[in-house]
Amino acid sequence: MRTEAATLPGDPARPNEDWAATALPASGDGGTLVLLDGVTPPRGGDGCVHTVPWFTARLGGALTELSASRRDLTLSEILSLAIRRTAKLHADTCDLSHVRTPQATVVLARWGAAGVEYLVLSDAVLLLRAPGGGVRAVRDDRLDRVPAEALRSHAAADRLRNREGGFFTAAADPAVARRAVTGTVPAAEVRALAALTDGAGRWVERFGAGDWTDCADVLEREGPAGLLRRVRELEAADAAAGGGRRGKVHDDATAVYVEP
């Protein structure tokens, strides 16, 4: 088995809000991958005394433990239980009903002799590479379907956050697990898999340097560190050219690559 991961903060002066882990059961049969991209709240408070990295570390830890140890549960059930477990850790000190309470995008994958299970919530991406080289990108595209003008202010985005007709993230409500994109692929149809936060997925989605198959090729040849290096080079060049693209110049970027 080959497993590689790399992460870079969007700003060295700020904590990296991404979180990733892989785990291999003691039995040696299969494994699990967890990737979270913490949602940076706008200034003005989120009803919580904790940081986004505090939240992603605890939710990520719960997801890793549960996905590796509870094969009797589906990934949706695991996400629901992990959200509930994390919420209990700060329900007594924080307002978990606040629309900006700490939250994250989620990728979960679990593989074994029979197949690869997956779950994707919000704008991270999971790549599944077939033995013949073809690549399937598993995405939750609800945020893409929200008109750009509807996200131009924080107040407008708040009205769509974890709402029907908007987009969903893992926050404090376990019911959101039912909103995730889920499925199972036979093990024989997956040669490799990769998970990318949107900061890493910029290579395809923002800069158009290649498609998802090209991205998987880079991950296979150069590993996650190579992909992130390419992203930073493109970001720097775009900023120097005054590209005027929407969003941050740099974002937290994390990639995990696995050949089961």
Side-chain angles (χ1 to χ4, degrees):
M1 177 177 290
R2 173 187 173 189
T3 303
E4 296 183 42
T7 187
L8 291 172
D11 180 349
R14 291 176 54 86
N16 190 334
E17 295 172 340
D18 289 353
W19 197 94
T22 56
L24 306 178
S27 65
D29 177 24
T32 187
L33 180 159
V34 180
L35 178 78
L36 304 180
D37 182 352
V39 178
T40 305
R43 294 184 182 278
D46 57 10
C48 186
V49 300
H50 302 100
T51 64
V52 174
W54 179 94
F55 173 78
T56 54
R58 281 151 185 80
L59 180 61
L63 288 169
T64 304
E65 185 266 312
L66 290 167
S67 60
S69 65
R70 295 296 305 273
R71 291 268 175 174
D72 57 312
L73 299 179
T74 67
L75 295 186
S76 293
E77 291 169 335
I78 284 168
L79 177 58
S80 178
L81 182 55
I83 290 173
R84 184 177 294 109
R85 181 183 292 184
T86 304
K88 286 182 179 179
L89 295 176
H90 61 145
D92 293 338
T93 58
C94 306
D95 177 12
L96 302 189
S97 67
H98 196 293
V99 68
R100 297 176 187 167
T101 192
Q103 51 204 270
T105 69
V106 181
V107 174
L108 285 177
R110 183 170 59 184
W111 59 92
V116 177
E117 306 164 73
Y118 61 78
L119 177 151
V120 178
L121 184 68
S122 198
D123 59 355
V125 62
L126 176 70
L127 303 181
L128 300 174
R129 167 149 263 173
V135 173
R136 175 186 174 191
V138 181
R139 301 175 66 252
D140 174 1
D141 67 354
R142 276 170 289 210
L143 187 56
D144 295 341
R145 289 187 263 129
V146 175
E149 58 270 18
L151 299 172
R152 293 196 187 282
S153 73
H154 296 312
D158 286 346
R159 288 192 289 271
L160 295 169
R161 191 184 308 278
N162 289 319
R163 297 287 189 275
E164 193 64 47
F167 59 95
F168 295 89
T169 57
D173 181 6
V176 78
R178 297 196 300 268
R179 304 286 189 168
V181 176
T182 61
T184 302
V185 179
E189 296 180 11
V190 180
R191 188 182 90 203
L193 57 151
L196 312 175
T197 60
D198 65 337
R202 284 180 167 196
W203 193 81
V204 172
E205 296 181 308
R206 179 166 175 172
F207 296 108
D211 60 18
W212 291 118
T213 299
D214 298 322
C215 184
D217 290 341
V218 172
L219 287 164
E220 186 172 353
R221 292 193 312 266
E222 303 175 24
L227 176 65
L228 299 193
R229 182 175 58 252
R230 286 171 175 247
V231 170
R232 288 293 186 256
E233 289 170 353
L234 289 168
E235 290 169 336
D238 186 60
R245 297 178 186 270
R246 183 170 64 89
K248 312 170 191 174
V249 174
H250 302 296
D251 193 6
D252 297 341
T254 302
V256 183
Y257 179 77
V258 177
E259 293 179 356

